[in-house]
Amino acid sequence: MDNSPLQVVTVPTAPYPDQRPGTSGLRKKVYVFQSRRNYLHNFIQSIFSSIDLRDRQGSTMVVGGDGRFFNQAAIEVIVQMAAANGVGRLVIGHHGIMSTPAISCVIRKYKAIGGIILTASHNPGGPDGDFGIVFDTANGGPAKEAVTNKIFQISRTIEKFALCPGLRVDLTTVGRQMFDLENKFKPFTVEIVDSVESYANLLRNIFDFAALKEFLSGKNHIRIRLDAMHGVVGPYVKRIFCEELGCPANSAINCVPLEDFGGQHPDPNLIHAVDLVDSMRDGQYDFGAAFDGDGDRNMILGKHGFFVSPSDSVAVIAANIFCIPYFQQTGVRGFARSMPTSTALDRVAKATKIELYETPTGTKFFGNLMDAGLLSLCGEESFGTGGDHIREKDGLWAVLAWLSILAARRQSVEDVLREHWLKYGRNYFTRFDYEDVEIDAACEMMEDLEIMMADKAFVKQRFAVGDKIYQVDKADNFEYADPVDGTITRNQGLRIIFSDGSRIIYRLSGTRSEGATVRIYLDSYEREDIFQDTQVMLAPLATIALKISQLHQRTDRSGPSVIT
Ligand code: G16
């Protein structure tokens, strides 16, 4: 065996112009990473170069992914580059797999300077699917825009990267591996960890596992169905729900992580989580949930598939927050939602006199508030909910939060929701996605809309559909001033707010790997008429949204690709 120190080499490269991270990291088609020379290396080097050398040298970093196609190949490269860039220790998930919430947990546990998550989240995987890279910083949350901008700037001028080509890591064995590198005093260490255990341990300190076990597997237990959608969360579901909380084996489906998610779209909504929706229909299960590819998103269903909109989900958790032991200990510092998320949470905040923050779309905006001790619970309409135990959204946490509420209240999901609406009124909410729209048409539509909305006459304008009349009260392009560091983030979506509080929001997605997706969000509050069908209730607002934007004419579409 050759015990000579491993060689570190510097490889010349040429920059790419399109490595700007979006709402959540860099997302591209797998073939882009595979076919463009050094595309992966360039971006990874840009991440390392963005970290001050003094912080990077000898530091600990965490690496893991959702197990999608190209995950393993990318990790092998990242290990070789981390060693060559002076990182002292890499903590990697067993087989290179770790859920996004678990990575956040592990970064915090090991006091790492950050982590690299290999995921395109809810986007399809496989050789024809998407791949993505997210950089988390030391707080365990996605890097702020100042950092991602720096990474992007470096990627535009990069000329070389460092690599340790002879370094081969064994991802299959839990434990420590050491490598001697030339010019390095201490060995480079790789620790392959069982992230399920670290993460489960965190949850044990947040929830009352004994009470949950009784609720899920004791006498008169409820029946639940959890769909991991062949994403990363399967082993976590098995370990926590089946092994520890005693749920029967049929409580967990699609729990084997697959490189292509079984050919499905690992997005937990009524359209893509078909297995769950089908199995809930006949009333066999009292509670259902699905997760996305990397485990940060969740969808909650009640008996017969009763759908809980994510905007309502975070509001219900807020209203019942002391059913969760963690918050009994820490107290509640504040609530936050992304701007397009319905204002249901605002009503709970107002009633409980707890501060409410409205942030731009994307998890990264919650982290600063949490670090400053201002925020305890956050949510996005895009099926993301989380607490300040980590700095990512957390699908399994949301499910345990819901189960804690049901266990304490001894009510069905539907009854909890109905009582919530009776108390606070109901925000009807929906999102229309127009996928694969031509980029130029989408951008022109947004520009023209903004010009129209900026006209003084637009405010106070009235729109009538049937017997509904909406009067514009405010129209703007959402801008956010971070209350902690004052950073201003502009162009976060066009908002039309009507005098009754109803809202129409237009946004372009920032997570597409190619093409454009136009999102229209509709949010309307009703105090009395609270048990109606969402789409029926929002039909007048939808008509107005399409009329104002001329979206169908401009993009040659007759309807949305997906409605959630
Ligand atoms: C979408 C959602 C956002 C979410 C983002 C990242 O962004 O609309 O609410 O924060 O995905 O989600 P994840 O962390 O699950 O990848 P966009 O820009 O496409 O609307």
Side-chain angles (χ1 to χ4, degrees):
M1 194 176 149
D2 179 10
N3 281 331
S4 50
L6 293 162
Q7 202 193 2
V8 176
V9 299
T10 302
V11 183
T13 189
Y16 290 96
D18 65 345
Q19 297 198 317
R20 181 193 282 281
T23 312
S24 185
L26 180 72
R27 278 186 205 176
K28 298 283 173 201
K29 290 278 173 210
V30 166
Y31 69 73
V32 171
F33 286 94
Q34 283 179 319
S35 62
R36 293 201 203 159
R37 192 177 167 76
N38 300 332
Y39 196 80
L40 171 71
H41 299 74
N42 279 16
F43 191 69
I44 298 298
Q45 184 61 54
S46 303
I47 292 177
F48 287 132
S49 300
S50 75
I51 307 167
D52 194 294
L53 188 61
R54 283 165 302 185
D55 296 332
R56 202 197 318 150
Q57 258 175 349
S59 66
T60 298
M61 286 188 75
V62 181
V63 180
D66 62 13
R68 67 179 57 225
F69 185 80
F70 201 60
N71 190 90
Q72 188 119 346
I75 289 193
E76 282 161 17
V77 169
I78 291 169
V79 176
Q80 295 181 343
M81 292 187 66
N85 275 279
V87 173
R89 175 170 69 152
L90 268 193
V91 180
I92 307 179
H94 196 196
H95 301 289
I97 293 184
M98 252 200 262
S99 77
T100 291
I103 291 188
S104 185
C105 156
V106 172
I107 290 173
R108 294 164 73 81
K109 177 177 164 185
Y110 284 82
K111 303 206 177 344
I113 60 158
I116 296 175
I117 313 179
L118 303 168
T119 179
S121 188
H122 51 285
N123 294 14
D128 299 325
D130 287 354
F131 190 73
I133 304 171
V134 180
F135 176 50
D136 271 7
T137 44
N139 69 347
K144 292 190 236 170
E145 294 214 323
V147 177
T148 53
N149 285 342
K150 190 171 172 191
I151 294 171
F152 176 54
Q153 292 311 331
I154 295 170
S155 77
R156 285 164 41 135
T157 53
I158 189 168
E159 290 177 344
K160 56 182 191 286
F161 59 85
L163 184 82
C164 210
L167 201 162
R168 299 268 175 275
V169 67
D170 171 16
L171 297 173
T172 63
T173 315
V174 171
R176 186 173 299 177
Q177 299 163 44
M178 314 259 250
F179 303 89
D180 280 327
L181 263 59
E182 61 175 16
N183 307 334
K184 221 172 163 227
F185 176 59
K186 285 189 187 159
F188 170 68
T189 309
V190 171
E191 264 181 67
I192 309 293
V193 298
D194 173 3
S195 67
V196 183
E197 191 43 39
S198 303
Y199 176 71
N201 208 27
L202 177 70
L203 294 183
R204 279 182 207 115
N205 290 319
I206 295 173
F207 299 101
D208 182 346
F209 267 40
L212 287 170
K213 186 166 185 178
E214 177 59 29
F215 188 56
L216 293 171
S217 57
K219 218 170 129 219
N220 303 324
H221 67 86
I222 67 158
R223 290 151 304 167
I224 69 168
R225 183 86 154 177
L226 305 178
D227 186 350
M229 297 185 80
H230 292 301
V232 70
V233 96
Y236 299 80
V237 168
K238 284 271 181 203
R239 175 88 66 88
I240 295 168
F241 284 89
C242 299
E243 288 173 29
E244 187 151 354
L245 298 175
C247 294
N250 72 352
S251 306
I253 53 169
N254 299 326
C255 281
V256 177
L258 297 176
E259 284 194 332
D260 66 348
F261 308 107
Q264 306 294 313
H265 207 123
D267 199 356
N269 57 41
L270 292 174
I271 294 119
H272 295 304
V274 271
D275 288 352
L276 177 72
V277 172
D278 286 349
S279 63
M280 296 292 294
R281 212 166 270 138
D282 65 3
Q284 219 188 114
Y285 300 98
D286 306 299
F287 176 91
F291 309 94
D292 69 338
D294 63 328
D296 56 358
R297 295 184 176 202
N298 73 93
M299 174 176 72
I300 304 291
L301 299 180
K303 199 165 183 163
H304 299 293
F306 178 86
F307 174 69
V308 181
S309 90
S311 298
D312 276 344
S313 176
V314 66
V316 167
I317 296 174
N320 295 278
I321 199 151
F322 294 116
C323 296
I324 302 166
Y326 172 85
F327 293 113
Q328 292 168 11
Q329 286 155 22
T330 63
V332 180
R333 299 176 175 118
F335 299 136
R337 61 165 174 83
S338 64
M339 180 275 282
T341 303
S342 96
T343 55
L345 182 63
D346 306 32
R347 295 172 209 291
V348 180
K350 195 168 173 214
T352 51
K353 297 195 172 51
I354 289 171
E355 194 70 34
L356 183 278
Y357 300 91
E358 183 179 37
T359 60
T361 300
T363 319
K364 55 186 177 239
F365 295 99
F366 298 129
N368 241 14
L369 297 170
M370 289 180 175
D371 290 346
L374 298 174
L375 176 60
S376 298
L377 173 74
C378 59
E380 294 197 276
E381 51 64 44
S382 53
F383 297 84
T385 331
D388 64 348
H389 59 296
I390 52 171
R391 297 293 180 268
E392 293 276 4
K393 297 168 294 199
D394 191 343
L396 269 180
W397 176 92
V399 167
L400 290 168
W402 262 93
L403 291 171
S404 302
I405 293 167
L406 300 181
R409 294 185 48 159
R410 298 280 151 182
Q411 276 179 312
S412 69
V413 173
E414 188 167 348
D415 286 345
V416 169
L417 251 302
R418 283 175 167 262
E419 272 191 19
H420 187 89
W421 294 332
L422 280 168
K423 183 166 177 189
Y424 296 97
R426 179 173 178 188
N427 276 85
Y428 288 95
F429 179 87
T430 194
R431 182 175 104 182
F432 294 173
D433 289 343
Y434 291 79
E435 293 173 348
D436 299 317
V437 168
E438 212 210 309
I439 293 186
D440 289 347
C443 292
E444 271 171 32
M445 185 203 82
M446 293 293 282
E447 281 161 22
D448 289 348
L449 258 175
E450 195 170 358
I451 292 168
M452 182 198 295
M453 286 164 55
D455 190 324
K456 277 208 178 77
F458 189 72
V459 174
K460 300 280 173 261
Q461 201 166 315
R462 290 152 76 99
F463 294 92
V465 180
D467 59 355
K468 276 275 195 188
I469 298 172
Y470 293 91
Q471 182 166 21
V472 179
D473 189 40
K474 188 176 170 186
D476 65 5
N477 189 338
F478 182 62
E479 188 173 299
Y480 176 67
D482 187 300
V484 182
D485 60 22
T487 310
I488 308 281
T489 310
R490 299 195 164 85
N491 287 323
Q492 293 302 308
L494 301 176
R495 303 193 285 186
I496 302 175
I497 305 174
F498 296 97
S499 52
D500 70 345
S502 297
R503 302 183 307 159
I504 296 174
I505 293 145
Y506 304 88
R507 244 191 98 246
L508 297 184
S509 160
T511 53
R512 292 290 309 184
S513 57
E514 56 184 19
T517 292
V518 180
R519 304 201 196 283
I520 298 182
Y521 309 79
L522 307 172
D523 176 17
S524 171
Y525 178 68
E526 294 284 339
R527 186 67 197 91
E528 308 296 334
D529 209 1
I530 52 177
F531 299 124
Q532 304 300 329
D533 177 79
T534 297
Q535 295 304 327
V536 170
M537 292 300 280
L538 292 172
L541 266 190
T543 305
I544 295 168
L546 293 174
K547 187 175 161 209
I548 295 177
S549 62
Q550 295 287 298
L551 177 63
H552 286 181
Q553 294 83 337
R554 282 165 168 269
T555 59
D556 206 15
R557 295 290 169 101
S558 55
S561 331
V562 180
I563 299 178
T564 49

